[in-house]
Structure formats: C-alpha cells, structure tokens
Amino acid sequence: MRADEVLERLKAGNARYVRGEAGRGHVVSEADLAAQQPVAVVVGCSDARVPVEMVLGQGWGELFVVRVAGHAVGPKVTASVGYGVVQLGVELVVVMGHRGCGAVSVAVDALTPGKPEAPGHLEPLVRRLKPSVQPVVERWGGEPAEVVLAEAVKSHVHASVDRLREGLRRIGPSASAARVVGSVYDLETGWVRWLEGSG
C-alpha cells in the first residue's frame, strides 16, 4: 500500500478505536504473519497505556512497532526503522508521542530550574531528549506544568521525525523514500492528532 493510503487506514482505525469498534483490526492469516508484511512502521513510547495496534485499530502483524521510552530516536531505533522500510518494504513511518509522557516529563523537570535532577539511570534518556525539550522549557517555563509538557511532547515528536528522516537518508535512497509523519495520542480521548508539517 502507498504511504497516503496507509495513513488514511490508520486514521480510520483510530476513529474505530475511539468509537469502541476497533476489534482486532483486519483479519491476518498465519501465512501473512509468517511472511511479515506490515503496512507501517510505528515508533512509539514504551508506556503501557499506549497499545499502538489497538489505538490505530490494526490487527496482529499489520504494524512493525518500535517502542522506547519517550520515543527517543537513536542509532538502534533508526536501524530498526530502516529494517522495516528496506527489508519489509514499508512506505510509511509514524512517530507516536502521547500526552502525559513520563519520559518527556522527567526531561522537562531535569531542565527546569528548581526541579530535581533526573535519577542517574535516566540521564542517557534526558540527554537524548534535551535538544528538543530545552527550548520549550525556556519559552513556556512560566506556564502550567501540563502546558509545558504538552508542548515538549509535540516538540520532541517533531525532532524525532527529523532524526528519523536524516537517519533514513544515511541508510540510502530506498530508505529515504519512506514518508515519516508525527502524531500525538491523547490518553483521555483516545484520538491520535496528526501533526502538521511533519509529513
């Protein structure tokens, strides 16, 4: 399927999910699973509240999902996405952040004067998120915490999209041809907001 067709399929799947009609998505046979033919790659957060296949109304085997705290894109994530695009022939890559992201919240706190530093084991994650989160903290720092976090999540999704595009360009022409789009999942409503200018 072409990237634009897949994106419409994911939007329709999310609408079914919000209406409580998601079910198992499309029926996928054992043969399909054995062949591994996903329609999209999704880079999402490790958060247990964000079941990517369910949120997008897709069944088993239909998405190639890469999950890491804060949807932080590094070399291993880029390589995994590259596998989905080059080896599996996927044309659409989705970066899915979510409201209330704990990993982004830790980074916001670590970069906010007067807030506690991140625990040592989370320092590598904070370093990865810092370039996209720090400008938000500097600009929105006087706003309520939920506003700052929401803006930081969006900023980080855009940054992750940019990192993936650059990483796919380095892999080669077949990888760089993939469309990469950003989105933010709302935990309360179930809707996925597709970010303008990211696709």
Side-chain angles (χ1 to χ4, degrees):
M1 296 179 68
R2 295 177 56 86
D4 56 348
E5 296 172 325
V6 175
L7 183 56
E8 291 307 311
R9 173 172 165 173
L10 299 184
K11 290 178 179 179
N14 179 236
R16 288 195 308 273
Y17 171 74
V18 171
R19 294 192 305 264
E21 303 169 358
R24 283 185 54 204
H26 301 83
V27 176
V28 181
S29 69
E30 290 184 13
D32 288 336
L33 287 174
Q36 188 170 202
Q37 297 177 320
V39 297
V41 175
V42 180
V43 177
C45 185
S46 302
D47 196 299
R49 301 166 295 173
V50 188
V52 176
E53 288 88 351
M54 290 178 62
V55 166
L56 295 174
Q58 305 301 302
W60 297 332
E62 294 182 308
L63 299 177
F64 186 82
V65 181
V66 182
R67 297 182 69 166
V68 61
H71 57 275
V73 175
K76 292 178 183 177
V77 170
T78 300
S80 296
V81 172
Y83 179 85
V85 171
V86 177
Q87 271 70 30
L88 303 180
V90 173
E91 293 188 17
L92 178 69
V93 178
V94 176
V95 175
M96 183 185 290
H98 66 92
R99 290 183 63 98
C101 180
V104 176
S105 180
V106 166
V108 168
D109 285 350
L111 297 169
T112 301
K115 291 286 186 82
E117 293 184 6
H121 65 284
L122 293 179
E123 185 55 35
L125 181 62
V126 171
R127 280 199 310 272
R128 178 71 61 187
L129 274 62
K130 182 177 179 179
S132 56
V133 171
Q134 188 159 26
V136 173
V137 171
E138 292 171 357
R139 178 179 176 190
W140 297 87
E143 298 295 327
E146 62 270 14
V147 172
V148 178
L149 180 54
E151 292 299 323
V153 168
K154 284 192 294 184
S155 175
H156 186 55
V157 168
H158 281 294
S160 296
V161 166
D162 290 344
R163 284 191 196 107
L164 275 178
R165 285 181 181 153
E166 178 58 33
L168 292 174
R169 277 194 290 271
R170 287 196 299 270
I171 290 172
S174 61
S176 63
R179 182 178 178 188
V180 185
V181 300
S183 63
V184 177
Y185 170 58
D186 191 315
L187 296 171
E188 294 182 3
T189 68
W191 283 108
V192 173
R193 176 186 173 198
W194 303 90
L195 300 183
E196 293 183 14
S198 69

